[in-house]
Amino acid sequence: MRIYALMGLLFFSISSISQNCNNTLSGKITDSHDGTALVGAMVIIAGTEQTVVTDINGYFNIQNLCDQTYAIQISHPYCLTNGYKVKVEGNTIKDFQLEHHLEELNEIVLKGHKENKKINTIAENKLTQEAIEAYSNGSLGDALNSLSGVSSLNTGSTVVKPMINGLHSSRVVLINNGVRMEDQEWGVEHAPNIDVNTADHITLIKGAGAIQYSGDAIAGVIITEPQAIFIKDSLYGKTIVSASSNGRGSTLTSKLTKSSATGWFGTVQGTRKRYGDFEAPDYILSNTGTSESSASLRFGLNKFNYGIEGYYSFYKNKIGILSASHIGGAEDQVRAINSNIPLIINDFTYDIGDPKQDITHHLARLKAFKKFAGLGKVTLQYDFQQNHRLEYDIRVGDDSDKPSLDLVLKTHTLLVDIDSKLSENSTLKSGIMARYQDNFADPSTGVRRLIPDYEKYDLGIYGIGTFQLQDNWFVEAGARFDYSYMDVYKFYRTSFWESRNYDELFPEIVVEEFDNQLLTNPQYNFYNASGTIGSTYSFNDNYKLFLNYSLASRVPNPSELFSEGLHHSASRIELGDLNFSSEIANKVALTFQKQGTVFGFSIQPFINTINNFIVIEPTDVEQTIRGNFQVWEYRQTNAQLLGVDVDATYAFTKNLDFKHQFSFVKGYDRNNKAALISMPPVNTTNEITYQNLKANHLKLAIQSEYVFRQNEYPNNNFEVYIAQSETYELVDVSTPPDAYHLLNFKSSIDFPITKKSNLTLGFSVTNLLNTRYRNYLNSLRYYADDLGRNFLFNLKFNY
Amino acid sequence: MKTIKTLSLAVVAALSFASCSDDDDTPEIVNEEEVITTMTVTLTPNDGSEVITLQSRDLDGEGSDAPVITISGNLASGTTYDGAIVLLNETESPAEDITEEVEEESDEHQFFYTISSGLDVTTEYSNNDSDGNPLGTEFTLTAGAASTGTITFTLRHEPTKPNDGIESAGGETDILVSYSVTVE
């Protein structure tokens, strides 16, 4: 192409000798990144032997040019030399932009990474690729659990929801590959639908600071990101196989990336997991098997000034729910609690029977960016998600194969972000978000909808400014405004509608009346403000202080507003409230950090004051034809959470490291002056690692995990009459289980296969002593012990 | 630049597609199929005297209003009754007979009768499941000396079968209703 052009040029220059050749070509040459004028750039015109140099303002002026197309070359010491074709017709003005030199380009990529930091005034906790690989067979919640301040709310061992500083569910915002996960995470037994193997690194922000993504992250934000792909010709990948004794299953995950020097790249990735029933130390946890399949595809063009990327992921997960946890009312609960072992124990099987969850999640994203001189980087993103959740209960007759819950949630989001540099010391990031969401609950289940049909529209706008006051002093401030509109169609039982006094409070929302049900159309408008302000101060190279204040507002989610009826899998009646308003949280977080090769630590205290905090708690026992059921009601109160997370590392010798983690959180209900339910107990993890780089990177680690008993909890126990014994029995649903201590062992060793490929073998044992324990934050703790010893073999092949 | 144009076009197209979804349709009502709203125990005396019915009725299903319990009369001392249990879902019209489903899956169900210590009443199973173990939708009841107390009917789903009574049966409770009765 270029040769033709040059030949054409040659031809034109011959034929145009007789033309008017008194034209000038002038213009300005600027740096494409920040728009600064490039002084002393050299402009060479092919065929005229003219050479000019730009002046102090970046301007150039070339005279005596004819009406024709010229080939020119522009060079600058700091930039890539580039050729252009310019058509001169009369006096022509043309501006040029130059890219930095390749070496410097690499530097800028790194700097760009720094600018990508989610927030600079809260110390981030990160999970590196190596740490994520260790949890290849587990869930995202398991992987995050290894960070201080993160615990998990479990339903058995495979439904794991991350909990940050005592808060969970929709208070934890999950950003997967730049997309906010919308996967019906409102209930306790809905874990995030992400394959942990798709993430290259995971960042945890304990606070609402990341207002770029949302203003409602009262607990914090979890960001999973894919691998950065370099602009060079390459083909690489990895495969991890892991097999474990507990659950007698395995995980296979594989990834392949092709990148090219032109900027095009593509990655394919897939994971398959299959486990049978897991085991406690003394018995099999029947119906706890799991089967997960996922795949993702990522492709795009990566240029310095612009880029485009597409991403699609598919995730399917089938999870068995412990058979013994499926009970019918308070009498059964008394039997289950009083029994030391689960009431149902069957032989080991890979079959996943009812009750079970079956979830499919599609995520597609298109993203493009372009850098404009003087404006900055503009990013446009559209994403679509579809979550299909089926929950199967044990049902009788013709319905036995039908799900009890069948929800499809579709979400479309459009984002525009502008990242600009205001001056040498300040930046401004701003953006706008529009989202449309539609939830459909299939009535063919024959079960009244747990979550009603609704449509939701969101509009958000934000701005974040950063200011480098001094070399060691950095300040950041941001604000966000969100508008949400919800249009809901919900059936209510007339008896409930009247018992709640809704017939007097909301008569206008009734659409239609049936025999014993009402169709209502609640509509909500929420206007939420959020913001953050923070500062980072470095005392010297080692000591740093982060201080951040954030304001977050969360719209109540549909289950909190509309729940009404028996939640089969929890065997309790759950009730929401139409009167709820947004939760408003004010969080102050401080981090004092020392980095060092021998000794390092970080201390992170926080205080989170939440107004209108929505909590679900047992309130009553209701008599039904099936016996007595517990009633769990959502209510709003004012809550206060405070705590501290501590991390410390100490290197005894070059090969021997010690790592310590400690988390403490207290949650109080300020209205009732009582403890909040489901707060994580104090816990500490200590680990000693021996590492020898010379002996094939041999790594041996022993880890001790101590979880104290939760001593502060609300007493929601109740009594039920047991006909068989003619006595009233206490149903103890409140008392937390005892403290426990687990020992884990980890080891790994590397074998280079060829110059470019590497094999890592890993062997680990969790719950080494086969300790019997129950975890306060596991909703199945009433029914069975937690997991027993597990031998895990792990093989990773990098190529 | 061209790619960006194409992309923005795609986005606009996708959004307009999304906003076109019909939102005028109101959702379909769900009348729960498996809810048991009503349990009626009919006790027919062998001597031809008055039939006694015990009924628990909870028309709104679980939650809100508690079940309404009615007992038509007192049991006569020294009389033997043929008992039959009928379970209905009255949220549907006509009401659905759930007893049929229980009898179809007889090997997965069993009724238990718990008599409080003060009440002089004995019961015996009259029907069996497909494996010959007790099912109990039909039974006989013999009223002894004059006394008062409660009879509790418990239907267990997937109990251990055969069993030595409710304590060892396990399973999940589908129905649990206590009736206060008098033998005179």
Side-chain angles (χ1 to χ4, degrees):
Chain A
M1 192 63 206
R2 189 156 287 173
I3 290 173
Y4 286 116
L6 284 173
M7 280 169 71
L9 274 179
L10 210 63
F11 175 75
F12 276 121
S13 36
I14 294 165
S15 65
S16 62
I17 288 167
S18 61
Q19 282 179 324
N20 168 25
C21 292
N22 292 323
N23 300 327
T24 60
L25 171 67
S26 58
K28 190 182 183 185
I29 299 177
T30 50
D31 182 320
S32 62
H33 320 109
D34 50 13
T36 55
L38 287 174
V39 185
M42 192 180 282
V43 184
I44 304 168
I45 312 287
T48 67
E49 291 172 21
Q50 277 206 62
T51 300
V52 297
V53 172
T54 53
D55 66 10
I56 188 125
N57 295 316
Y59 288 105
F60 66 91
N61 193 319
I62 308 164
Q63 303 192 340
N64 302 328
L65 296 175
C66 308
D67 281 341
Q68 68 174 71
T69 303
Y70 286 93
I72 69 172
Q73 178 187 303
I74 305 176
S75 59
H76 187 266
Y78 298 133
C79 297
L80 271 177
T81 300
N82 224 335
Y84 301 90
K85 276 177 279 172
V86 183
K87 194 176 181 191
V88 175
E89 272 184 308
N91 291 338
T92 306
I93 297 171
K94 175 95 179 146
D95 294 339
F96 296 94
Q97 289 178 359
L98 286 194
E99 270 185 14
H100 278 280
H101 224 273
L102 256 190
E103 291 85 272
E104 212 184 331
L105 187 68
N106 287 343
E107 271 179 42
I108 286 166
V109 168
L110 288 175
K111 199 176 160 194
H113 201 82
K114 194 185 157 212
E115 280 172 3
N116 270 341
K117 276 189 99 162
K118 287 78 212 171
I119 180 145
N120 298 291
T121 55
I122 297 181
E124 293 175 356
N125 297 57
K126 262 202 160 118
L127 274 176
T128 58
Q129 194 189 1
E130 194 190 356
I132 295 169
E133 282 167 357
Y135 291 95
S136 171
N137 63 316
S139 68
L140 180 77
D142 292 322
L144 286 162
N145 218 338
S146 62
L147 294 172
S148 67
V150 184
S151 34
S152 58
L153 201 61
N154 289 30
T155 305
S157 49
T158 40
V159 179
V160 186
K161 280 177 82 79
M163 191 172 190
I164 305 173
N165 288 150
L167 299 172
H168 58 87
S169 297
S170 57
R171 297 180 188 99
V172 175
V173 170
L174 249 148
I175 307 293
N176 177 15
N177 262 292
V179 177
R180 182 188 168 131
M181 290 296 284
E182 302 282 348
D183 49 359
Q184 296 156 359
E185 290 183 78
W186 35 66
V188 170
E189 75 289 21
H190 304 164
N193 300 309
I194 296 180
D195 172 14
V196 69
N197 295 297
T198 56
D200 184 66
H201 51 280
I202 301 173
T203 311
L204 167 74
I205 300 164
K206 294 176 200 164
I211 58 170
Q212 178 193 349
Y213 300 105
S214 75
D216 60 353
I218 285 176
V221 186
I222 294 163
I223 299 166
T224 72
E225 279 167 309
Q227 204 167 10
I229 293 172
F230 297 102
I231 305 177
K232 62 176 186 182
D233 285 315
S234 186
L235 178 70
Y236 54 95
K238 71 173 176 191
T239 298
I240 304 174
V241 183
S242 72
S244 57
S245 64
N246 202 336
R248 306 182 206 176
S250 59
T251 298
L252 172 72
T253 180
S254 197
K255 184 155 120 182
L256 192 66
T257 300
K258 169 80 185 114
S259 63
S260 81
T262 56
W264 286 100
F265 65 90
T267 299
V268 284
Q269 180 268 346
T271 302
R272 174 84 185 121
K273 289 181 191 181
R274 187 75 176 98
Y275 293 89
D277 290 336
F278 290 92
E279 284 164 53
D282 300 320
Y283 42 78
I284 285 167
L285 299 166
S286 284
N287 200 39
T288 54
T290 166
S291 165
E292 181 184 317
S293 311
S294 68
S296 67
L297 176 70
R298 183 176 165 221
F299 56 91
L301 175 66
N302 214 349
K303 291 279 191 190
F304 185 77
N305 265 331
Y306 63 93
I308 181 161
E309 192 183 312
Y311 178 77
Y312 166 76
S313 83
F314 166 82
Y315 175 90
K316 186 167 173 63
N317 198 358
K318 210 161 128 182
I319 308 168
I321 305 291
L322 182 73
S323 296
S325 72
H326 195 266
I327 56 169
E331 286 76 6
D332 288 8
Q333 200 150 27
V334 172
R335 284 193 292 134
I337 292 175
N338 292 347
S339 162
N340 281 326
I341 60 163
L343 294 175
I344 301 171
I345 301 173
N346 298 322
D347 290 340
F348 173 87
T349 172
Y350 286 101
D351 295 341
I352 300 169
D354 299 336
K356 64 170 181 267
Q357 301 183 353
D358 188 341
I359 304 135
T360 313
H361 194 103
H362 297 271
L363 186 156
R365 181 191 71 158
L366 259 183
K367 177 178 156 182
F369 76 86
K370 173 140 177 80
K371 288 179 182 166
F372 295 96
L375 180 65
K377 182 178 170 185
V378 178
T379 311
L380 187 71
Q381 178 174 313
Y382 164 74
D383 58 75
F384 171 72
Q385 286 175 77
Q386 176 173 313
N387 187 287
H388 190 186
R389 164 173 285 270
L390 295 169
E391 287 186 8
Y392 293 85
D393 262 314
I394 296 172
R395 301 178 73 175
V396 294
D398 304 337
D399 297 325
S400 53
D401 294 327
K402 259 201 238 170
S404 323
L405 181 109
D406 183 346
L407 296 174
V408 180
L409 183 74
K410 289 179 189 162
T411 314
H412 300 262
T413 311
L414 186 65
L415 295 166
V416 182
D417 291 299
I418 302 172
D419 216 338
S420 26
K421 200 167 179 178
L422 295 181
S423 72
E424 200 52 40
N425 300 322
S426 59
T427 66
L428 177 70
K429 198 168 198 179
S430 55
I432 185 158
M433 176 278 291
R435 176 178 295 134
Y436 166 75
Q437 192 168 62
D438 171 70
N439 182 66
F440 173 70
D442 194 334
S444 69
T445 54
V447 174
R448 289 172 15 80
R449 301 165 177 88
L450 184 68
I451 305 294
D453 287 5
Y454 67 85
E455 289 184 302
K456 189 165 177 249
Y457 300 81
D458 296 293
L459 200 64
I461 181 161
Y462 77 91
I464 308 163
T466 65
F467 313 94
Q468 190 82 45
L469 295 182
Q470 290 166 15
D471 275 353
N472 57 348
W473 193 13
F474 180 84
V475 175
E476 182 174 45
R480 184 179 172 106
F481 179 77
D482 283 281
Y483 166 70
S484 300
Y485 168 71
M486 256 158 111
D487 186 12
V488 187
Y489 278 97
K490 155 87 181 155
F491 283 98
Y492 275 98
R493 277 173 304 178
T494 316
S495 58
F496 178 78
W497 184 256
E498 285 163 3
S499 73
R500 280 262 155 165
N501 214 22
Y502 286 165
D503 51 337
E504 288 184 19
L505 292 169
F506 309 102
E508 72 284 358
I509 65 170
V510 176
V511 177
E512 208 175 335
E513 292 190 32
F514 300 89
D515 289 346
N516 58 357
Q517 291 190 49
L518 296 169
L519 176 63
T520 62
N521 179 208
Q523 291 172 36
Y524 287 92
N525 288 291
F526 292 99
Y527 304 91
N528 281 339
S530 47
T532 178
I533 181 158
S535 169
T536 307
Y537 187 82
S538 308
F539 295 94
N540 53 40
D541 284 349
N542 294 332
Y543 290 93
K544 254 189 187 173
L545 186 72
F546 299 79
L547 177 65
N548 181 278
Y549 159 76
S550 58
L551 165 74
S553 316
R554 184 181 72 93
V555 171
N557 63 39
S559 68
E560 292 162 343
L561 293 166
F562 308 116
S563 284
E564 173 248 339
L566 186 66
H567 194 162
H568 284 269
S569 57
S571 43
R572 64 193 194 195
I573 291 167
E574 290 181 354
L575 305 178
D577 197 321
L578 285 174
N579 292 299
F580 284 159
S581 50
S582 289
E583 274 183 356
I584 314 278
N586 290 278
K587 185 173 183 175
V588 179
L590 183 79
T591 301
F592 184 58
Q593 197 179 65
K594 178 194 187 299
Q595 286 169 321
T597 44
V598 177
F599 177 55
F601 67 84
S602 88
I603 301 172
Q604 307 186 42
F606 72 91
I607 179 159
N608 199 354
T609 307
I610 309 171
N611 289 334
N612 302 329
F613 182 71
I614 300 173
V615 62
I616 186 165
E617 259 187 352
T619 50
D620 199 2
V621 181
E622 214 156 78
Q623 202 195 349
T624 77
I625 204 156
R626 297 176 63 177
N628 293 298
F629 276 88
Q630 252 182 299
V631 179
W632 284 59
E633 212 166 321
Y634 285 101
R635 65 181 174 89
Q636 277 195 312
T637 182
N638 292 325
Q640 175 91 275
L641 280 92
L642 38 101
V644 63
D645 299 324
V646 179
D647 287 88
T649 52
Y650 183 76
F652 293 107
T653 67
K654 215 175 82 189
N655 294 337
L656 204 63
D657 281 329
F658 172 72
K659 210 169 100 185
H660 167 79
Q661 267 182 14
F662 173 83
S663 290
F664 170 91
V665 55
K666 289 283 168 208
Y668 296 105
D669 178 336
R670 291 191 300 167
N671 292 11
N672 282 5
K673 306 219 177 329
L676 280 176
I677 196 166
S678 298
M679 282 293 136
V682 178
N683 61 80
T684 178
T685 306
N686 294 285
E687 188 177 312
I688 291 179
T689 308
Y690 170 80
Q691 205 172 166
N692 195 334
L693 294 179
K694 283 176 193 154
N696 285 353
H697 274 95
L698 175 71
K699 219 178 194 179
L700 301 168
I702 188 114
Q703 188 189 54
S704 137
E705 206 182 323
Y706 191 86
V707 178
F708 290 81
R709 183 175 180 272
Q710 178 57 279
N711 289 324
E712 295 194 348
Y713 58 94
N715 185 344
N716 297 308
N717 292 342
F718 59 98
E719 281 190 335
V720 285
Y721 178 74
I722 304 293
Q724 288 89 50
S725 56
E726 294 176 47
T727 53
Y728 281 91
E729 294 240 13
L730 184 77
V731 188
D732 185 358
V733 290
S734 308
T735 311
D738 289 337
Y740 60 87
H741 179 230
L742 302 179
L743 274 184
N744 304 314
F745 168 78
K746 284 186 275 188
S747 67
S748 70
I749 189 162
D750 287 357
F751 298 102
I753 303 289
T754 66
K755 219 174 174 183
K756 283 188 170 174
S757 62
N758 185 38
L759 186 73
T760 306
L761 291 181
F763 173 71
S764 54
V765 191
T766 54
N767 195 0
L768 196 64
L769 304 176
N770 214 13
T771 304
R772 287 179 203 92
Y773 73 101
R774 296 190 184 202
N775 181 343
Y776 177 57
L777 297 176
N778 189 334
S779 60
L780 304 189
R781 69 179 155 98
Y782 307 117
Y783 314 111
D785 285 341
D786 229 304
L787 295 186
R789 190 188 291 130
N790 184 17
F791 295 99
L792 206 131
F793 182 74
N794 198 307
L795 192 150
K796 183 180 96 176
F797 188 44
N798 264 329
Y799 41 88
Chain B
M1 200 57 206
K2 203 179 166 198
T3 41
I4 291 177
K5 270 185 197 157
T6 321
L7 178 76
S8 31
L9 260 175
V11 167
V12 170
L15 275 191
S16 41
F17 175 71
S19 53
C20 282
S21 70
D22 51 335
D23 49 4
D24 299 329
D25 287 2
T26 53
E28 195 182 309
I29 192 165
V30 175
N31 286 307
E32 298 218 335
E33 288 154 26
E34 285 147 88
V35 171
I36 301 169
T37 59
T38 312
M39 177 202 205
T40 312
V41 183
T42 315
L43 299 170
T44 313
N46 290 341
D47 60 7
S49 60
E50 196 190 346
V51 173
I52 309 285
T53 55
L54 315 174
Q55 192 182 63
S56 169
R57 205 161 181 228
D58 189 3
L59 290 180
D60 68 340
E62 280 108 13
S64 302
D65 298 348
V68 178
I69 293 185
T70 48
I71 294 155
S72 70
N74 294 336
L75 301 172
S77 172
T79 311
T80 301
Y81 297 83
D82 285 329
I85 301 172
V86 175
L87 307 173
L88 294 180
N89 175 8
E90 291 191 88
T91 62
E92 289 188 20
S93 168
E96 188 191 359
D97 188 349
I98 308 279
T99 330
E100 285 169 11
E101 285 184 6
V102 171
E103 284 171 353
E104 271 167 30
E105 293 178 354
S106 57
D107 57 329
E108 290 176 14
H109 289 99
Q110 186 176 350
F111 263 105
F112 295 93
Y113 323 106
T114 311
I115 315 293
S116 68
S117 53
L119 184 68
D120 187 8
V121 158
T122 54
T123 55
E124 218 167 293
Y125 286 100
S126 308
N127 65 348
N128 289 336
D129 66 14
S130 49
D131 300 325
N133 293 314
L135 170 63
T137 49
E138 287 166 25
F139 61 100
T140 57
L141 183 146
T142 310
S147 55
T148 55
T150 60
I151 309 179
T152 304
F153 293 84
T154 309
L155 174 63
R156 286 275 171 87
H157 190 197
E158 295 192 327
T160 310
K161 277 186 152 190
N163 52 58
D164 306 325
I166 191 164
E167 280 82 5
S168 64
E172 187 201 345
T173 304
D174 277 345
I175 295 276
L176 190 147
V177 185
S178 291
Y179 298 98
S180 297
V181 296
T182 304
V183 178
E184 55 176 26

